[in-house]
Amino acid sequence: MNMTELKAKAAQIRMDLLNMIHTAKTGHTGGSLSNTDILTALYYRVMKLDPANPKWEERDRFIASKGHSVESLWSILADLGFFPKEELLTYSQFGTRLIGHPNNKVPGIEMNTGALGHGLPIAVGMALAAKRDQKSYRVFCLMGDGEQAEGSNWEAAMAGAHYKLDNLVGIIDRNRLQISGTTEEVMGLEPLEDKWAAFGWNVVSIDGNDMEALVEALEAVPSVPGKPTLLMANTVKGKGVSFAENVPHWHHHVPNEAELELALSELAATLEGLKQEGQVR
């Protein structure tokens, strides 16, 4: 996909996840909207994947450590054909596979996540296995910024640098909000980039809602031989829906009928503008 197509796809994924959350009457709206651009760049441009063969040995691995923001991931996996798109209507319903966190009963999901701080340690193990087995696949792990208060992340950071895992990419969805307020009020993180650099990682800071910047940074991996990369993706919580952006209440707010209609109209306008550029298939 070219850049215009990626931006259009991100707008469509945002519409899909909002419909899914509204139908289910539950979900983590703000974080799913903020990470949509990251996941779109990964799944439609950067990662080696085969939806027809989800266990392909050479596939790149993705771990959603911030598992609660799963709605964007479910929408993308369905759109790519890992499972039927109609199944999105069952999200969080009784008996569904599509629960409120990644579930490895679903094709395309490497591991169950949800307990914050667990994703990066597993990603380190996967990347180390690739090195020892002389495999070329890369491992991408998306973390929340509130999740950086978990000590297990820092143990994993030490291990990733110690084993020189340049096939490992940690991505922090740095939207600066968590369920109970701003990250700096709840548990101060700054200087976060300096901390990761001190742990031996190559740190790249970008606008995490800028598709060009995301693709450039992600396609450069491994950018420093012998070092894992930490992508500090500075995002806006609730991105794409004007009245949800940077509003803590939208962490897990379910849009009502009027809010859904307004949000979808904003995203439809974004999508139409991109289509008028003439490069969207």
Side-chain angles (χ1 to χ4, degrees):
M1 284 189 175
N2 62 42
M3 291 301 162
T4 305
E5 289 170 332
L6 287 169
K7 292 172 186 177
K9 181 59 70 176
Q12 184 60 60
I13 294 300
R14 286 186 167 99
M15 296 172 76
D16 290 346
L17 73 87
L18 285 167
N19 276 314
M20 185 168 54
I21 290 171
H22 176 75
T23 299
K25 306 303 180 191
T26 187
H28 286 83
T29 312
S32 286
L33 290 169
S34 72
N35 73 31
T36 294
D37 297 306
I38 299 168
L39 296 185
T40 300
L42 282 170
Y43 275 88
Y44 294 93
R45 176 75 179 242
V46 175
M47 292 199 302
K48 296 182 299 181
L49 299 165
D50 182 1
N53 184 15
K55 295 297 185 181
W56 175 42
E57 193 171 340
E58 299 300 325
R59 73 190 182 280
D60 288 329
R61 274 66 166 170
F62 174 75
I63 303 297
S65 191
K66 57 172 295 183
H68 56 282
S69 295
V70 74
E71 294 85 1
S72 47
L73 181 57
W74 287 147
S75 298
I76 286 171
L77 292 178
D79 185 66
L80 287 170
F82 281 91
F83 58 85
K85 200 164 186 177
E86 295 75 22
E87 195 170 344
L88 292 177
L89 297 175
T90 73
Y91 169 64
S92 282
Q93 305 302 308
F94 180 74
T96 184
R97 298 187 297 176
L98 306 184
I99 57 177
H101 292 82
N103 167 24
N104 64 7
K105 297 293 192 296
V106 180
I109 298 296
E110 301 289 344
M111 63 169 287
N112 298 344
T113 54
L116 297 174
H118 288 192
L120 188 63
I122 298 296
V124 166
M126 289 179 169
L128 181 58
K131 288 287 188 182
R132 293 187 170 177
D133 291 342
Q134 298 183 326
K135 298 292 186 181
S136 63
Y137 65 80
R138 298 165 298 174
V139 183
F140 298 87
C141 180
L142 179 64
M143 299 172 278
D145 48 4
E147 184 180 358
Q148 301 308 297
E150 300 285 351
S152 50
N153 282 324
W154 299 102
E155 294 178 64
M158 282 192 291
H162 175 77
Y163 289 109
K164 299 180 171 50
L165 301 180
D166 52 12
N167 58 343
L168 173 63
V169 183
I171 307 167
I172 297 178
D173 184 6
R174 186 71 169 113
N175 59 40
R176 292 174 168 77
L177 288 173
Q178 56 190 107
I179 190 169
S180 50
T182 70
T183 55
E184 298 313 297
E185 290 171 333
V186 176
M187 180 65 70
L189 299 175
E190 296 297 347
L192 190 53
E193 292 177 29
D194 292 344
K195 290 174 182 175
W196 278 92
F199 273 70
W201 287 55
N202 170 48
V203 179
V204 180
S205 182
I206 62 165
D207 179 345
N209 296 126
D210 181 322
M211 193 61 72
E212 287 87 354
L214 280 165
V215 169
E216 181 180 359
L218 290 166
E219 287 189 337
V221 175
S223 47
V224 177
K227 277 192 172 188
T229 293
L230 188 284
L231 190 62
M232 192 68 68
N234 294 288
T235 62
V236 174
K237 197 154 191 171
K239 180 68 176 179
V241 177
S242 63
F243 52 91
E245 291 185 354
N246 284 320
V247 179
H249 172 63
W250 277 80
H251 178 85
H252 51 33
H253 175 68
V254 175
N256 59 33
E257 291 285 350
E259 291 168 336
L260 178 67
E261 182 178 353
L262 181 55
L264 293 179
S265 68
E266 289 186 2
L267 290 163
T270 298
L271 188 57
E272 184 59 31
L274 291 164
K275 287 181 177 179
Q276 288 177 2
E277 293 184 19
Q279 299 180 56
V280 179
R281 290 193 289 268

